[in-house]
Amino acid sequence: MHFDLADLRLIAAIASTGSLSKAAASVPVAVSAASNRLRLFEERCGLSLFVRHSDGMTLTPTGRLVLEAGQRVLKEARQLRDTLQELSGERRITLRLAASTVANSTFLPTALGPFLADYPEVDLQLIEQNSKDVLRAVQEGQIDIGVYDGNLPTAGLLSLPFRNDKLVLLVPQDHPLASQHLPSLRDALSYPFVCLPAERAMQRFVEAMAVRNAMPLKVRVRAPSFDAIAQLVAQRVGVAMLPEAAATRMAQELPTAVVPLADAWATRELRICVADWDALSSHARQLVTYLMNECAAAR
């Protein structure tokens, strides 16, 4: 059975305006041509889509079903058009991704690099937030994709696996904590710390855990990156809390030691969240796929 997108657009316009003449003007096409197109469509289908009144047109029950299916087809057609324009370079796409400090600094680059190489038409806004703010931003539509601490409730968001993360201590090689088996954060709080800036999401989390132990961190210096922190630890400025992946890499290059913690909160599952999979753009869905592939490869 033959139909084209012009048929579906005309049916949607008549249903929206309740008038053949108004629909014809919005398409735009002559009223006679619109009437002829609708008549031929109904004859080919063997269906009556509209009830004609003296003051307009209303959908029949059959017409409502045809309209619903037609709107899905039109939506898919618009998405295909947008994708073709994006791939041909006619449009640039901006995706918004919010994630915790740990995800941004350790796990995301290995997935984002290949994705951005494969899709040069995409610009990425990468935002660092704590996990509660990530979830709120996804719920409110401020960002497309979030990476958050999987221990938090998602309030109806779609949640998908990403990576497991551990926070560990990085200490000088001959530090007293280096020889301890699974110390707790409380054991380390008597020593000075080398920290990230206070506004960084991970740093706020670590300092909150210290306050929970009724012993705030002794912050000796704040450094802008994990690399800078490790350099200072190696020079015996203090100890630091880092993601395990980053700390292990630093310990291979510098005279430092990685010390796992006994605290249960130090091991966290990172997850991906989106508000509505079907509402994501094709590029956003591809980005989620790349992130999940990175998760699968890590296991």
Side-chain angles (χ1 to χ4, degrees):
M1 182 178 299
H2 172 75
F3 68 89
D4 57 32
L5 296 180
D7 294 328
L8 301 182
R9 292 190 187 101
L10 177 61
I11 292 167
I14 297 172
S16 175
T17 63
S19 165
L20 181 63
S21 60
K22 291 179 180 178
S26 69
V27 172
V29 67
V31 175
S32 58
S35 178
N36 189 54
R37 178 176 287 277
L38 177 60
R39 177 181 58 81
L40 290 175
F41 183 90
E42 290 180 319
E43 288 177 356
R44 287 195 302 269
C45 298
L47 301 171
S48 178
L49 304 186
F50 291 94
V51 177
R52 279 75 170 171
H53 306 285
S54 59
D55 59 347
M57 301 170 65
T58 57
L59 286 164
T60 64
T62 297
R64 287 195 291 271
L65 294 176
V66 172
L67 173 65
E68 181 180 345
Q71 287 175 328
R72 290 197 297 269
V73 173
L74 290 172
K75 179 181 178 181
E76 291 292 335
R78 288 192 296 271
Q79 290 176 340
L80 175 59
R81 178 200 62 201
D82 291 345
T83 298
L84 293 174
Q85 289 177 339
E86 293 155 6
L87 294 174
S88 67
E90 294 180 23
R91 289 182 58 195
R92 295 212 55 83
I93 297 301
T94 299
L95 297 180
R96 301 160 300 173
L97 172 64
S100 64
T101 306
V102 172
N104 273 338
S105 303
T106 55
F107 302 127
L108 283 175
T110 56
L112 295 180
F115 171 79
L116 292 171
D118 285 345
Y119 296 98
E121 68 276 11
V122 172
D123 297 323
L124 183 65
Q125 293 181 356
L126 189 57
I127 304 164
E128 182 177 305
Q129 294 179 318
N130 64 49
S131 291
K132 289 183 179 179
D133 288 339
V134 168
L135 290 170
R136 185 180 304 110
V138 174
Q139 289 165 347
E140 295 176 356
Q142 298 173 9
I143 61 170
D144 304 300
I145 302 165
V147 179
Y148 73 102
D149 179 355
N151 294 324
L152 296 175
T154 59
L157 298 176
L158 174 63
S159 178
L160 303 165
F162 180 48
R163 293 291 293 268
N164 288 327
D165 159 52
K166 289 183 180 179
L167 293 177
V168 298
L169 292 172
L170 186 70
V171 303
Q173 281 182 337
D174 58 353
H175 194 278
L177 288 171
S179 59
Q180 287 195 32
H181 177 67
L182 292 178
S184 67
L185 174 62
R186 188 177 183 85
D187 297 324
L189 291 177
S190 59
Y191 299 100
F193 270 74
V194 182
C195 301
L196 287 168
E199 67 273 11
R200 297 288 293 274
M202 184 189 120
Q203 189 59 41
R204 293 202 301 271
F205 173 78
V206 171
E207 293 188 26
M209 293 302 101
V211 169
R212 182 183 292 182
N213 282 277
M215 295 176 65
L217 289 182
K218 297 178 180 178
V219 180
R220 188 171 185 197
V221 62
R222 296 187 186 274
S225 67
F226 293 156
D227 289 292
I229 287 173
Q231 292 283 349
L232 291 167
V233 170
Q235 296 174 73
R236 305 174 185 277
V237 173
V239 302
M241 181 87 73
L242 294 179
E244 184 179 39
T248 300
R249 176 170 57 84
M250 304 301 178
Q252 294 171 350
E253 303 170 358
L254 297 167
T256 57
V258 176
V259 183
L261 290 167
D263 304 271
W265 53 259
T267 299
R268 300 182 295 173
E269 180 188 18
L270 296 176
R271 295 183 68 85
I272 302 164
C273 63
V274 300
D276 183 348
W277 179 261
D278 292 333
L280 288 178
S281 68
S282 57
H283 284 84
R285 288 197 292 268
Q286 283 297 313
L287 176 52
V288 173
T289 300
Y290 274 62
L291 295 178
M292 294 187 68
N293 287 343
E294 166 65 17
C295 167
R299 292 183 173 179

